[in-house]
Each structure stands twice: as C-alpha cells, then as structure tokens.
Amino acid sequence: MSTPEFLAIAGVVLIGAFLQGASGFGLGMFAAPVVALVDPTLMPALLILLATVLTAILALRERAAVNRAGVGWSLLGRLPGSAIGAGLVALLSPQVLALLVGLVVLGGAGLSVRGWVPVVNRRTLMAAGMAAGVTGTSTSIGGPPMALLFQRSDPAETRGTLSVFFLVGSLISLGLLLLAGAVDLRVVTVSAWLLPALLAGFGISRLLVPYVNRNRMRVLAITMSCLSATVLLGQQLWRLLG
C-alpha cells in the first residue's frame, strides 16, 4: 500500500469515527467504500477490528443510556446473521464483496432518504439484528439496519444501544472471520497503524457532539457515503466487465 493510499484510508477512518462518535453509527458506512476501493483485500476484517475498539469506547461513554432489552433481542438476530455473513466471506471474492459493500451503502442511504421509520419491537429488533449480522460480517457495514430502527430515539440512547450491539456483534463477526481464515497479520498491522486516526476522530466527536445538528450530520453522512459507493460500484463493474 502506497503512502497516498494509506492517508486516504486514514482520512475516511477519522471522519467515520467522528460520525459514529456523534451519532452512534457511521464508521463502516462512510469508510468501507473507500477502503474497498483502495484495497479490497483488507475488507471486511480491517474495519471490524477498528469498530471493535471504537464501539468499546463509545459503549463505555454512553453506558447509562443503553436500552438493554433492545440490545438483547437484536443480538438474538445477530448470531445467525453473522454466520451467514462469514459464509459469504469464505465463498465470495474481494471484488464481489466490494460490490456488495456499495449496494449495502446505497440501500441503507435510500431507505433513510425516503424517511421510512419502523416500529421498535421484538420482531423488528431481531430482524434488524440479523440484517446487521449479515452485512456487518460480510462487508463491515452493519450500521444501516439498526440505525434506521433507532432513528427517532433519544440521541444518547441511540449511541449507547448501538455501541453495545456493535461491540458484541463485532466480536462475534471477528471470531467467525478468524475461523474462516479472513484475518491475517497484514490486516492487524494496518489496523494498528490506523488507530491514531480512529482515536482522533472519536476525540473530535467528544468535543463537538453537544453542538452537532443531527439532521445536518445525517445528510452529510448519507451524501458522502453515496458518492463513495457510486465510485466503488463503477470501478468494480468496470473490472468485472473489462
């Protein structure tokens, strides 16, 4: 990986960590298209490793606002979903997974733009947990299903609940990817080099979160993610057809 490529990944990790620190999600949705574009062999293990660190810090910060029942029901769905996602990683090539990343991002952003607001209950929690398990393990983007479900909840509850869910889910996904042989020394090394960018993004979010306009942040995250996903899809389709 060249220095410009590493700096590009570090930049989106920093911004993604800031988004997630402010809203409860955003690292995978924002950073995954760029990481997959620069080096698809790093996906999804790189961002799952980074998400494990970030969600642990966020869960500790927002622990008083966690919806424990919501976490429990959603994790029941996450377990089978993560197994399906690990199977996809073992079966599909990095290029196909990159296409899946782009489609997941565009799908989640499209639903957010349309303003769909589901009811939060046991059934929807399990369904969102399963969807997040599939997409989170196979593409590192597990945010959209759970974020859509909690989009009208209290901001602190959203950040706390999603952080605990993503922390446990990331550990599950990481264990399954290790069993599938999808985590190697190179991925771990690159993750370690990216930790300063991750922590810097979190630090900025901690300073600015009281002043953040959540609607503007949501628009920015959706817009930038759609642009990144569109570029990613275009490149991967060109490679497949070329």
Side-chain angles (χ1 to χ4, degrees):
M1 182 187 302
S2 67
T3 299
E5 289 174 337
F6 176 81
L7 291 176
I9 292 177
V12 295
V13 166
L14 186 150
I15 297 172
F18 167 65
L19 292 171
Q20 186 145 339
S23 64
F25 72 102
L27 176 62
M29 188 173 182
F30 186 82
V34 175
V35 176
L37 182 63
V38 173
D39 190 344
T41 64
L42 293 172
M43 293 292 291
L46 175 72
L47 288 182
I48 292 177
L49 281 166
L50 293 175
T52 302
V53 177
L54 181 60
T55 53
I57 299 172
L58 280 170
L60 182 63
R61 189 183 76 182
E62 305 288 356
R63 60 188 180 279
V66 174
N67 181 334
R68 291 173 173 77
V71 170
W73 286 109
S74 57
L75 286 175
L76 283 178
R78 173 91 193 208
L79 288 169
S82 295
I84 296 171
L88 291 176
V89 171
L91 292 174
L92 302 180
S93 68
Q95 288 72 30
V96 173
L97 282 175
L99 286 172
L100 186 58
V101 167
L103 293 173
V104 168
V105 170
L106 290 179
L111 286 174
S112 295
V113 169
R114 291 179 64 87
W116 177 61
V117 183
V119 177
V120 180
N121 55 37
R122 293 178 182 179
R123 187 179 304 173
T124 56
L125 283 165
M126 290 183 68
M130 177 174 286
V134 174
T135 62
T137 304
S138 61
T139 71
S140 81
I141 303 176
M146 292 295 292
L148 284 171
L149 190 60
F150 282 90
Q151 62 184 282
R152 300 297 184 190
S153 300
D154 175 74
E157 179 186 351
T158 299
R159 289 192 298 267
T161 303
L162 295 188
S163 295
V164 174
F165 171 80
F166 291 142
L167 173 58
V168 177
S170 293
L171 291 172
I172 293 171
S173 297
L174 197 57
L176 291 170
L177 290 176
L178 284 168
L179 291 175
V183 181
D184 56 25
L185 181 59
R186 176 172 176 265
V187 171
V188 175
T189 302
V190 175
S191 300
W193 280 105
L194 289 170
L195 279 178
L198 185 83
L199 296 176
F202 170 77
I204 296 171
S205 77
R206 186 174 183 181
L207 292 173
L208 298 183
V209 69
Y211 312 103
V212 169
N213 182 309
R214 295 183 75 243
N215 289 329
R216 290 179 181 175
M217 180 66 70
R218 174 174 169 270
V219 170
L220 175 63
I222 291 172
T223 301
M224 296 303 295
S225 297
C226 285
L227 288 174
S228 297
T230 300
V231 173
L232 172 64
L233 287 170
Q235 185 195 57
Q236 297 305 318
L237 286 172
W238 178 264
R239 288 178 178 175
L240 288 175
L241 296 175

